Amino acid sequence: MLLEVNGLCVNYGRIEAIRDITFTVEEGEVVTLIGANGAGKTTTMKTVSGLRPVRAGTIRFDGQDITHMPPHQRPVLGISQSPEGRGCFPGMTVNENLDMGAYARKDRKTKAVAEDRDRVFSLFPRLQERMNQTAGTMSGGEQQMLAMGRALMARPRLLLLDEPSMGLAPKLIAQIFDIVTEINNQGTTVLLVEQNAAQALKRANRAYILETGEIVREGTGSALAADDAVKAAYLGGDI
């Protein structure tokens, strides 16, 4: 098992944001967390990447307990996140943002980094066209591509994608999810948080549904997409 989250509890002050959640991600999978705003999805992602402290429970990555590991050490193990809101460095160029993604790599001065940059450009040709443009002058869709490309520059075994379709036009949303599938086909395991439940379930091997900090349903992406209760709650009655 690549990622094992067991009995995880996370607080914001006295407010319990996540309550005793348990889930797994196997190597090679796309696993998605879906739920309404405030369900605890982004908190879960931040906790896996080390940005939120754990009150109770454990997080194991490839068998190693990383529950209290500092966040800057997790990319070295193979965990990389494309955050909600993209988080691009607005005054840096596309190339400079991609360089930041490779910062923790021990081989960052070798041709391997150049090869990974070429891989990012093959996935996102628009970034190659904009390589010397500052991120702050790019469209929302281009910034989303850059955030994902920057995360890939760490050469992760597990890519955490938090709301990659947020604020994007429908045509671009479909393109982004096609790229998520291609990233997975190339060998990167993906944990996806997404409010566009229809697209997320379509792409996921397995899915977990969060409500008010707890996992209330789990199953294969296709099974949950076909479930009438899930359709009514998250898919507008259809998918």
Side-chain angles (χ1 to χ4, degrees):
M1 194 66 63
L2 189 61
L3 179 71
E4 300 172 83
V5 174
N6 187 44
L8 191 66
C9 299
V10 178
N11 280 32
Y12 285 90
R14 294 184 178 182
I15 299 173
E16 198 171 37
I18 297 174
R19 187 180 308 108
D20 193 28
I21 68 170
T22 295
F23 67 92
T24 60
V25 181
E26 294 187 28
E27 192 145 20
E29 282 191 309
V30 176
V31 173
T32 188
L33 308 177
I34 64 173
N37 279 335
K41 307 184 304 295
T42 290
T43 298
T44 301
M45 295 289 257
K46 287 183 175 180
T47 307
V48 171
S49 61
L51 298 175
R52 293 297 312 171
V54 174
R55 181 175 65 78
T58 59
I59 303 170
R60 301 184 71 85
F61 182 72
D62 199 20
Q64 179 178 347
D65 189 336
I66 64 167
T67 308
H68 303 292
M69 177 180 285
H72 68 274
Q73 293 181 7
R74 301 189 191 203
V76 179
L77 287 184
I79 300 173
S80 185
Q81 182 169 3
S82 174
E84 181 185 24
R86 295 141 197 169
C88 300
F89 299 103
M92 292 184 176
T93 66
V94 166
N95 271 332
E96 289 167 341
N97 270 273
L98 294 178
D99 285 342
M100 291 299 292
Y103 183 79
R105 288 175 55 167
K106 295 179 180 178
D107 65 347
R108 67 179 182 270
K109 295 184 179 180
T110 70
K111 67 178 183 179
V113 171
E115 291 170 354
D116 286 334
R117 189 188 306 271
D118 289 342
R119 176 195 177 201
V120 168
F121 287 155
S122 71
L123 288 165
F124 305 103
R126 184 72 60 85
L127 295 183
Q128 188 165 21
E129 298 169 8
R130 303 282 195 271
M131 67 171 67
N132 295 314
Q133 185 172 333
T134 55
T137 64
M138 297 167 67
S139 71
E142 290 167 344
Q143 288 186 30
Q144 183 59 59
M145 294 175 188
L146 180 55
M148 292 170 65
R150 181 183 59 192
L152 288 172
M153 287 298 294
R155 192 175 278 188
R157 294 178 63 192
L158 175 64
L159 176 63
L160 308 178
L161 290 178
D162 194 350
E163 301 284 8
S165 76
M166 181 181 288
L168 302 185
K171 183 177 180 180
L172 189 53
I173 288 172
Q175 181 184 348
I176 288 291
F177 277 103
D178 285 344
I179 294 169
V180 171
T181 298
E182 179 59 26
I183 289 168
N184 180 246
N185 288 340
Q186 291 180 7
T188 303
T189 305
V190 177
L191 177 60
L192 170 68
V193 157
E194 180 53 57
Q195 280 202 314
N196 188 324
Q199 284 283 0
L201 292 175
K202 180 180 177 181
R203 311 291 174 155
N205 300 103
R206 294 185 301 111
Y208 297 86
I209 298 177
L210 275 74
E211 291 181 5
T212 60
E214 297 181 292
I215 291 174
V216 296
R217 298 287 292 275
E218 63 181 272
T220 64
S222 58
L224 289 178
D227 185 281
D228 289 340
V230 174
K231 286 183 181 182
Y234 300 103
L235 305 173
D238 200 1
I239 186 169

